[in-house]
Amino acid sequence: MPRCSTCRDVVPPLTPVAIVNGNSGPGRSYYACRGCLVAGRLIPFALHPIGSRGTRMTYPDIVPADLVARLAELGDRPDLIAPVARLMDAATRTKRRAASADELHAAHEQARTAVADLRTAARARHPATPATEVAR
């Protein structure tokens, strides 16, 4: 039975937040309850950018606490994957020591845009429909 890896609670919904491969076995999944998702600013595993190693990821400080709480309610909606990936890319680029002022400015702007996109998605009742679906 899955448990929250932080508070050890078993009350659903529990959201996978990390998957660690085992050296000689199947590995282990880490879960978080809704309260721990918000308190720890944890990003659901289904929203992790492609190429991440499966470790826990947290929302950067640019994401306000009220938005983190709303995103925890939404779970792992597919329309959140792209903005989270852009946000995490921007957060990584802002930490580069060799980045120029222009690169840092562009990364900060990308992060602000991703947060705005996440806020827009959080306000929507249903996942956004891709433009290709609307055209049909």
Side-chain angles (χ1 to χ4, degrees), residues 49-64:
I50 293 175
S52 67
R53 300 267 181 196
T55 59
R56 287 185 188 198
M57 296 180 83
T58 58
Y59 287 107
D61 291 337
I62 192 170
V63 182

Side-chain angles (χ1 to χ4, degrees), residues 73-134:
E73 292 173 16
L74 297 177
D76 54 4
R77 280 187 2 197
D79 63 324
L80 300 175
I81 294 171
V84 168
R86 288 194 315 272
L87 174 67
M88 299 311 291
D89 175 60
T92 301
R93 292 185 320 152
T94 62
K95 295 177 184 174
R96 289 187 186 148
R97 293 182 185 192
S100 70
D102 288 340
E103 291 171 331
L104 287 175
H105 178 72
H108 285 290
E109 185 59 34
Q110 179 180 344
R112 283 189 291 274
T113 302
V115 169
D117 291 346
L118 286 170
R119 191 169 294 283
T120 300
R123 287 183 184 134
R125 289 186 167 262
H126 303 287
T129 304
T132 55
E133 294 286 326
V134 174

